[in-house]
Structure formats: structure tokens, C-alpha cells
Amino acid sequence: MSPVPLAGSAPTRARFSFEVFPARSGAAALALGHAVQHLSAAGPDFISVTYGANGSNRDASLDLLRYLRDHTDALPLAHLTTVGESRDAVRETIHRIMDAGVHDFLALRGDPPRGLDEGAPAVAGSLSSRELVELIAEARAERPPLTSVGRTSVAAYPNGHPLSRSRSEDIDWLVAKQEAGAQFAITQLFFRAEEYLSFVNDAQRAGLRIPVLPGLMPVSTSAQLRKVASLAGRPAPEGLTRALDEAGGYAPELGVEHTLELARELLAGGAPSVHLYTFNRHEQVLSVLRELELLTPDPVA
Ligand code: FAD
């Protein structure tokens, strides 16, 4: 059985979306402004903005969401985490984001802040992503009629959440998020198509009906590859590791090649679209989409 297509659409051509994160300096912000113009011109379903990831400033996420809304044609989607925040504070943030004209969310619990572990009261007492899905729905219902729009997505872990003891636990967790109202899911990074396809297949057998967008990142450096491997919870493919090392640790074309192959297998296997982690660069992800013949028109050409 193949994964379900995006609800309400019968795409003849696969779709795509992007993830960016707030810039950490003025120079990086300039480069990011340039990158998001190219990304937006490619016509993605949405561009998502990370929130507080790796200690980044949360206000900077809102600024970037506003920039996307005001200066691009792309639909901005806000990642939102609950870790270390009270229910009231999270509710207020949801309204601030909606006041900024952004109504689409990726509901997350978030990683423990530096220095705290999963057992710390500030972490263990945080709302779960399932509860956040419900809180976003409540906040939407508090908006004036006709402005309570938007979709809520959640994270999925094809290779298991780091704390998961079994695949069935991961699937139960994801189905619970669907039951709370999540409309689609985006996956953690992974390296092999089979990891996504078998996870979605098993989840659908267990009652998952929402689309699951595979998250992919074309790496440019050996350091990025190591980071992806730690997120994926699986070793990086040996051939890619070796080729990057032999190239001196920097070879964007190798990441593009690997992502392209993976995307082809995923789309052929029934994935509804691809969600590309851009690392705030447009060149590699647009190369992947160009090779997949998904760019019409091509914003760089
Ligand atoms: P929840 O589903 O709410 O789970 C909360 C906690 O429950 C987990 O941390 C864990 O303790 C436990 N748990 C969850 N699943 C299981 C399971 N199967 N078995 C046992 N225990 C479980 N983090 C950020 O800080 N900012 C971001 O912008 C961000 N963006 C992300 C985007 C994507 C697509 C993904 C996949 C992850 C992102 N993350 C981000 C990381 C995410 O916040 C962490 O993975 C976090 O540990 C869990 O968040 P969650 O929403 O999946 O948690």
C-alpha cells in the first residue's frame, strides 16, 4: 500500500515545500533574504520557519515569518514549541503569530534547552505536541469569524523518536496527534527511502490517514552529514561519507545527487511531496527540484 496523497488534491505533478531558520547575524539575514526570494519564486506549497531550534532567538522566527508574508508570495508556516513555556504563554504566542497574519503551524514539543534533560520538571511538564495541536485549534476558534483559517502539522519519526522503545510506540504517538486534529505530518531526516515507505505503510495500517511529507536535506559538508546522521538516528550511507571526505569535506553536488535519488524513490513509492530542509541556501534544493522537473518556471533560469 502506498502513502495517501495530499488531502483534497490529485496532483499530476509532485509538490514541494521548504524549511528555513532565522539568521543569526545581519550578514546572514541579507543572504537569507536573497535565498527566500529564490525559494518563493519556485512556487512551494509553503516555507516553514524553525522556532528556538539550537537556542535560536524566538522573536527572530516571528520576524522571518513576517518577512515571508510581506515580501514573498510563499505561504509561511510557523514551527512552534512548548518546552519551558506555560500554557498561557504558548496561547499568547499563537495569537501573536496569527496577529502577524500567519495561520499555519508545525506543532512541536521541542528539544530540552541546553543544560536540561528530558526528566527536568520544566521539560517534562511542558505541553506535548498533541496538546499543542488542540491549543492551536482552541486559539483559532477565539479568532474573529473568517480569520480562523490555517492548517496544523506535526513531526513524524520514520526511524523512531530518540526516546521511543518501538515502532508501534512511534506510530501510536503519531496517530494520537492525528486524532487531536493534525492535518499532515513532516518527517525527521532520514537517508533511505525504505525507512520512510515502511514507516508510512505501517502507520496507515494502524489508522493513519493524514499525509506524511518526507523531510530531506541535501548536505554540502561532512559536518552537515554527521548532524543529519545524528538526527536520523542511523549512520550515513558509507559511499556518501567517503565521497565527501575524499572531496575535502565540501561537495554540495554530492548532497544534491543523494537527495535526488532519494526523492525519486520516495515519489515513485507514493510520497505526496518532498519537504526540503534548505539550510538557508536555495542553490542545492532548487537543483534537486530542477532535476526532478518540478520547477515551472525555473526561478534561476
Ligand atoms: P512530542 O510528540 O510532543 O513528544 C514529546 C516528548 O514525548 C518527546 O520529546 C519524548 O520525550 C516523548 N516521545 C515522543 N515520541 C515518543 C515515542 N515514540 N516514544 C517515547 N516517547 C516519545 N525543535 C525545535 O526546538 N524547534 C523547531 O523548529 C523544530 N522543528 C522540527 C521540525 C521537524 C520536521 C522535526 C521532525 C523536528 C523538529 N524539532 C524542532 C525537534 C523536536 O522538537 C524534537 O524532536 C522533540 O524532541 C520532540 O518534539 P515532538 O513535537 O515530536 O514531541
Side-chain angles (χ1 to χ4, degrees):
M1 187 165 71
S2 51
V4 288
L6 271 171
S9 65
T12 47
R13 187 186 282 274
R15 297 294 313 158
F16 54 88
S17 51
F18 300 120
E19 177 191 289
V20 294
F21 54 84
R24 304 243 166 95
S25 68
L30 274 179
L32 177 57
H34 177 71
V36 296
Q37 291 302 336
H38 284 293
L39 295 172
S40 162
D45 285 337
F46 59 85
I47 299 182
S48 79
V49 175
T50 66
Y51 186 78
N54 301 321
S56 71
N57 178 330
R58 292 171 171 183
D59 286 341
S61 298
L62 190 53
D63 286 347
L64 179 52
L65 288 163
R66 284 201 186 97
Y67 180 88
L68 288 170
R69 189 208 54 194
D70 293 344
H71 300 287
T72 74
D73 292 331
L75 179 75
L77 181 148
H79 294 208
L80 182 61
T81 65
T82 62
V83 69
E85 301 283 342
S86 70
R87 188 183 179 87
D88 284 347
V90 176
R91 183 193 294 273
E92 204 184 301
T93 306
I94 297 168
H95 279 297
R96 277 179 68 208
I97 292 171
M98 289 184 179
D99 288 344
V102 175
H103 297 274
D104 292 87
F105 289 90
L106 173 57
L108 300 150
R109 201 287 310 269
D111 285 322
R114 225 163 264 151
L116 294 183
D117 61 27
E118 287 281 344
V123 178
S126 306
L127 296 180
S128 69
S129 58
R130 186 181 52 72
E131 291 168 307
L132 178 56
V133 170
E134 289 167 350
L135 189 58
I136 291 168
E138 270 177 46
R140 275 200 191 109
E142 290 161 8
R143 308 295 294 179
L146 302 183
T147 64
S148 56
V149 291
R151 293 192 300 166
T152 304
S153 54
V154 289
Y157 299 85
N159 289 324
H161 185 277
L163 296 183
S164 166
R165 282 162 300 198
S166 66
R167 166 162 285 192
S168 69
E169 208 171 60
D170 284 305
I171 289 176
D172 289 349
W173 208 275
L174 183 56
V175 172
K177 296 184 201 183
Q178 164 185 279
E179 299 313 316
Q183 286 142 303
F184 65 100
I186 305 177
T187 74
Q188 184 54 280
L189 295 164
F190 59 91
F191 290 114
R192 295 161 191 88
E194 186 47 29
E195 294 164 0
Y196 165 92
L197 294 171
S198 72
F199 175 78
V200 174
N201 197 0
D202 290 352
Q204 288 179 341
R205 281 175 202 270
L208 192 79
R209 301 175 306 277
I210 57 174
V212 180
L213 280 46
L216 311 177
M217 182 169 125
V219 297
S220 298
T221 68
S222 299
Q224 283 176 1
L225 188 63
R226 282 194 294 277
K227 170 87 180 150
V228 174
S230 85
L231 289 170
R234 293 283 187 282
E238 269 176 36
L240 181 56
T241 308
R242 203 175 327 109
L244 258 170
D245 287 344
E246 282 170 8
Y250 176 74
E253 67 283 4
L254 294 176
V256 167
E257 209 175 287
H258 176 262
T259 305
L260 179 60
E261 235 167 78
L262 186 52
R264 282 198 174 118
E265 278 182 62
L266 291 165
L267 294 170
S273 72
V274 286
H275 181 65
L276 293 159
Y277 291 51
T278 67
F279 218 72
N280 286 2
R281 304 289 305 237
H282 61 279
E283 297 89 343
Q284 288 96 319
V285 294
L286 294 186
S287 295
V288 170
L289 295 175
R290 189 171 301 118
E291 291 296 324
L292 290 170
E293 297 182 11
L294 297 183
L295 290 186
T296 48
D298 187 329
V300 175

